[in-house]
Amino acid sequence: MHFSSSLVGVFSLLCSQAVAIPDLKARDLNSFVTGERTIALQGALNNIGPHGSQVAGAGNFVIASPSTENPNYFYTWTRDSALTMKMIIDEFIFGNTKLQPYIEEYIHAQAILQTVSNPSGTFLPNGLGLGEPKYQPDGTRFNGAWGRPQRDGPALRAIALITYSNWLIENGQSTKARTVIWPIISNDLSYVGQYWNQTGFDLWEEVLGSSFFTIQNQHRSLVQGTQLAKDLRVTCTGCDQAPEILCFLQSFWNGKYIVSNINVNNGRTGLDGNSILGAIATFDIDAYCDSPTFQPCNNKMLSNFRYLMDSFRETYSINAGIPEGQGVAVGRYSEDVYQGGNPWYLITTAAAEYLYDAVAQWKARHNLVVDADSLPFFQDLYPSVTIRQYNSGNANSPFSQIINAVTSYADSFVAIAQKYTPANGSLAEQFNRDTGVPLSARDLTWSYAAFVTLAQRRAGQYPTTWGTRQAASPPATCSGTSTTGVYAPATAAGAPNVTSTCQVNIVFNVNATTYFGENIYVIGNTDDLGAWDINNAVPLGAGGYTSQRPLWSVSTYLNAGETASYKYVRQENCNQPYIYETLNRTLTIPTCGSAPITVEDAWVGAVGTAGSC
Ligand SMILES: *[C@@H]1O[C@H](CO)[C@@H](O)[C@H](O)[C@H]1NC(C)=O
Ligand SMILES: *[C@@H]1O[C@H](CO)[C@@H](O)[C@H](O)[C@H]1NC(C)=O
Ligand SMILES: *[C@@H]1O[C@H](CO)[C@@H](O)[C@H](O)[C@H]1NC(C)=O
Ligand SMILES: *[C@@H]1O[C@H](CO)[C@@H](O)[C@H](O)[C@H]1NC(C)=O
Ligand SMILES: *[C@@H]1O[C@H](CO)[C@@H](O)[C@H](O)[C@H]1NC(C)=O
């Protein structure tokens, strides 16, 4: 087996840590958090190309996990990348100056990525391609079937880049912020302002609707964008939508908790880690607790927290017997079945981070207000609590005692994370609901990023305000509005000077008799058809397949005026070789502005045979 020198470097790093800290599980909580913070930061950096030791072959991108099968996360997601980079930017601002090259590479790579045409659409003229959730590890398009678009990505990327731009301004580099970075941010904010009122897939890539996490981050991005545009004396197209988004955000509250996905009816309760992740991503140390932005210290959010934690108390057997007011293992939502439906590291640590955030806000406001919504949350932790305002006082004051109780509650979630973290500190995506054994993708970048942000808050490190106090109030009546965006390649940051691509809607219909488990793709010589790369072929759907007509179909967009050659491919059920049609077909795509066309084909070539696996 061949190890590259950089891989040897990582192994020796981990080994030397393993010698210095024989067992992270045996340490006290402070020492665990300190040790794991170092491992987690390095774990995230190991997954960032092109130099990351775990992601050989990747471009300048944050790879979700080195895992290439069951599940294959060897891709770059806009959301995971932006959340990871926000953590890195905050670490940089808190003093880790060695991280700046990662930020600079991110800026360059994202400027290019914005212009990549993909199944969500093209970048020009309408910005549709910005809603694409994931790309190949080298930054090329991913054509496979996926939950798209996902509208949180542009908002999260804008938030990360705005945070860095604010640092540049404070450090005498406004020109760079204006000429190099603002053009990237401007595209993303345009996208938010134009599309916030359309449904998209949630952060778990399963639900097509309106997601609390997405809407909360979209609002933040526009509020922060408004201020940055003022500081740089530029115009923010789309930022005028912020009050309407804030208005819409109010409708996720059902009187007891946050229904994390609305504009969808999927039979779930709506209790979802989505709401906790949204609140920590939009945490503002300066915010008032009754801010309509739904901060961690918000009374409705505390009620939500209690309902959400109770849903997991009842779901996972590793939580059996843990009483109210004690931390539990936390997952995505209790109806989850993905990989067996288990707790996640990043959501368990998010629960702790959430509570540290709330404590920080009460301390900064010098008071906390208990109301009817939050009373049950506080009663679990401090039974004699009543509905009233508690002002800060000495160490024995009720305020201090409540603060201490909430802090202990936060620590108890960290203790759960510690209990299920392997001795070497590696963080996978999930841990088994019955045994606590790590499972699903190993070394998940987001798990590591989430641990670092938790450790920052626990250590009292807070990003500066994003402007909740200055944010415009929501209008009295909400409206579904939109501002048409302005999109241009961020050439100063390295984007290619792409021009508007005119595409025509093409529907491919093919009659192809298949056995259950066999799939059909279309592949061809253009990028939209995968450029003959089977990993990028376009999957067809069998929704219209009947015994009368074995129809496979897909609706797609191809460049106007092009002549494409293409063929259909069969994917067998047990990894047998793909079966290609025995002819090359030709399609001339009509000129710009033409009506959609439907291609009617019938399979030509060998048929498949089911394997036994
Ligand atoms: C760390 O521990 C986990 C779980 O025991 C294991 O799967 C993984 O290979 C270890 N990582 C390293 C780098 O030794
Ligand atoms: C659009 O906004 C209106 C007003 O807030 C809201 O009622 C509606 O549900 C929103 N729809 C989507 C898909 O965001
Ligand atoms: C990009 O191309 C357009 C025309 O296609 C041109 O007007 C513009 O100057 C170019 N920008 C750069 C930075 O080359
Ligand atoms: C025909 O299809 C194959 C892929 O199966 C491709 O490599 C080849 O270039 C195609 N020929 C033409 C003339 O397009
Ligand atoms: C596909 O099957 C339908 C139903 O049998 C038939 O009417 C149609 O002509 C077929 N299409 C082609 C291109 O053979």
Side-chain angles (χ1 to χ4, degrees):
M1 196 184 223
H2 169 78
F3 291 109
S4 77
S5 56
S6 59
L7 273 175
V8 172
V10 175
F11 285 133
S12 56
L13 171 70
L14 287 176
C15 291
S16 64
Q17 281 171 346
V19 171
I21 40 168
D23 188 353
L24 279 164
K25 297 162 102 65
R27 296 169 143 214
D28 68 38
L29 208 62
N30 291 338
S31 158
F32 164 69
V33 173
T34 310
E36 182 63 26
R37 179 176 182 165
T38 307
I39 292 171
L41 177 60
Q42 188 59 46
L45 299 180
N46 289 348
N47 291 349
I48 301 178
H51 309 297
S53 61
Q54 296 288 315
V55 292
N60 270 352
F61 296 98
V62 179
I63 304 303
S65 155
S67 173
T68 54
E69 56 186 307
N70 191 28
N72 181 359
Y73 284 2
F74 206 80
Y75 294 95
T76 183
W77 269 263
T78 303
R79 168 184 41 258
D80 298 39
S81 303
L83 289 168
T84 301
M85 208 43 68
K86 173 69 165 62
M87 173 278 281
I88 288 176
I89 290 165
D90 286 339
E91 282 288 282
F92 166 73
I93 292 171
F94 296 146
N96 189 343
T97 53
K98 288 195 298 250
L99 296 174
Q100 197 165 23
Y102 290 94
I103 304 168
E104 295 291 335
E105 288 191 11
Y106 176 72
I107 293 165
H108 177 70
Q110 296 300 309
I112 298 168
L113 200 70
Q114 281 191 329
T115 65
V116 173
S117 298
N118 60 62
S120 294
T122 54
F123 172 56
L124 297 177
N126 296 320
L128 283 171
L130 298 173
E132 179 68 0
K134 79 178 206 189
Y135 298 80
Q136 302 287 350
D138 64 357
T140 56
R141 59 188 283 151
F142 166 75
N143 277 354
W146 211 254
R148 55 170 69 93
Q150 293 178 21
R151 305 191 196 277
D152 54 346
L156 293 166
R157 179 166 53 202
I159 290 168
L161 293 178
I162 291 169
T163 304
Y164 186 57
S165 298
N166 289 337
W167 181 87
L168 289 174
I169 291 171
E170 278 164 29
N171 288 273
Q173 298 177 62
S174 302
T175 305
K176 177 175 173 180
R178 182 170 55 250
T179 58
V180 179
I181 307 178
W182 173 258
I184 309 172
I185 298 170
S186 171
N187 290 327
D188 285 338
L189 299 181
S190 275
Y191 184 89
V192 172
Q194 183 159 0
Y195 300 109
W196 71 269
N197 199 228
Q198 297 189 20
T199 54
F201 278 83
D202 69 328
L203 77 172
W204 309 133
E205 318 193 283
E206 294 173 344
V207 182
L208 180 60
S210 300
S211 156
F212 182 78
F213 175 86
T214 300
I215 297 294
Q216 225 183 1
N217 279 293
Q218 287 180 331
H219 174 253
R220 172 180 173 163
S221 72
L222 297 190
V223 170
Q224 253 185 312
T226 304
Q227 185 59 47
L228 179 62
K230 259 186 219 155
D231 294 342
L232 296 176
R233 299 194 182 81
V234 292
T235 304
C236 176
T237 304
C239 283
D240 61 333
Q241 293 294 312
E244 281 299 349
I245 301 180
L246 188 55
C247 200
F248 182 41
L249 186 67
Q250 310 310 305
S251 48
F252 289 82
W253 167 251
N254 73 356
K256 292 177 173 167
Y257 59 83
I258 298 296
V259 181
S260 285
N261 295 294
I262 60 174
N263 286 327
V264 61
N265 190 353
N266 60 7
R268 296 188 195 163
T269 62
L271 288 165
D272 191 316
N274 175 318
S275 57
I276 301 294
L277 294 170
I280 64 174
T282 57
F283 162 66
D284 181 345
I285 184 66
D286 282 2
Y288 297 115
C289 295
D290 61 359
S291 160
T293 59
F294 288 106
Q295 292 292 313
C297 66
N298 180 287
N299 281 316
K300 294 184 173 78
M301 290 298 283
L302 295 168
S303 175
N304 175 68
F305 189 91
R306 183 173 189 273
Y307 277 100
L308 181 62
M309 294 312 137
D310 284 354
S311 73
F312 295 116
R313 244 175 256 287
E314 293 153 10
T315 303
Y316 305 135
S317 65
I318 55 172
N319 288 338
I322 301 179
E324 304 275 356
Q326 287 284 316
V328 288
V330 188
R332 304 195 301 177
Y333 52 92
S334 59
E335 303 91 341
D336 195 1
V337 293
Y338 175 61
Q339 300 269 347
N342 297 290
W344 286 41
Y345 289 102
L346 74 92
I347 315 176
T348 303
T349 53
E353 180 175 334
Y354 175 96
L355 296 171
Y356 293 128
D357 286 348
V359 165
Q361 290 174 321
W362 290 315
K363 282 187 179 167
R365 301 293 82 75
H366 304 291
N367 70 67
L368 72 84
V369 176
V370 177
D371 73 3
D373 290 327
S374 61
L375 185 66
F377 168 88
F378 286 106
Q379 277 173 329
D380 289 343
L381 306 174
Y382 189 76
S384 62
V385 71
T386 56
I387 293 176
R388 54 165 272 214
Q389 174 165 330
Y390 291 86
N391 293 324
S392 67
N394 64 26
N396 296 323
S397 67
F399 175 85
S400 299
Q401 288 177 12
I402 294 171
I403 291 284
N404 291 343
V406 179
T407 305
S408 299
Y409 191 27
D411 282 348
S412 67
F413 283 95
V414 183
I416 294 286
Q418 178 181 22
K419 180 172 177 185
Y420 298 113
T421 296
N424 65 17
S426 68
L427 295 179
E429 180 182 70
Q430 311 180 21
F431 48 104
N432 186 288
R433 62 196 282 157
D434 302 316
T435 64
V437 170
L439 55 79
S440 190
R442 72 180 174 94
D443 297 303
L444 189 79
T445 313
W446 190 357
S447 296
Y448 287 131
F451 195 92
V452 176
T453 57
L454 152 77
Q456 290 169 348
R457 300 306 165 268
R458 193 169 184 278
Q461 294 176 304
Y462 312 116
T464 51
T465 178
W466 57 266
T468 44
R469 290 196 191 184
Q470 288 75 41
S473 305
T477 313
C478 302
S479 321
T481 53
S482 166
T483 296
T484 302
V486 176
Y487 305 93
T491 50
N497 194 13
V498 294
T499 47
S500 192
T501 335
C502 180
Q503 295 202 310
V504 179
N505 184 202
I506 311 288
V507 177
F508 288 97
N509 283 341
V510 61
N511 293 340
T513 303
T514 45
Y515 61 82
F516 186 79
E518 193 179 30
N519 285 304
I520 301 286
Y521 292 76
V522 60
I523 190 167
N525 64 336
T526 70
D527 284 346
D528 298 289
L529 294 173
W532 299 123
D533 173 0
I534 191 65
N535 297 313
N536 255 332
V538 179
L540 278 71
Y545 194 107
T546 62
S547 52
Q548 284 74 42
R549 182 172 186 194
L551 174 66
W552 286 80
S553 182
V554 67
S555 169
T556 178
Y557 286 83
L558 300 180
N559 292 346
E562 255 177 21
T563 298
S565 63
Y566 71 99
K567 59 176 64 181
Y568 298 96
V569 189
R570 288 173 189 262
Q571 180 188 39
E572 302 304 285
N573 66 333
C574 293
N575 282 326
Q576 306 98 305
Y578 287 92
I579 302 172
Y580 289 75
E581 278 193 303
T582 49
L583 82 172
N584 275 345
R585 302 174 179 276
T586 305
L587 173 67
T588 300
I589 297 116
T591 52
C592 193
S594 299
I597 59 168
T598 301
V599 176
E600 299 283 358
D601 291 321
W603 175 267
V604 175
V607 295
T609 313
S612 47
C613 52

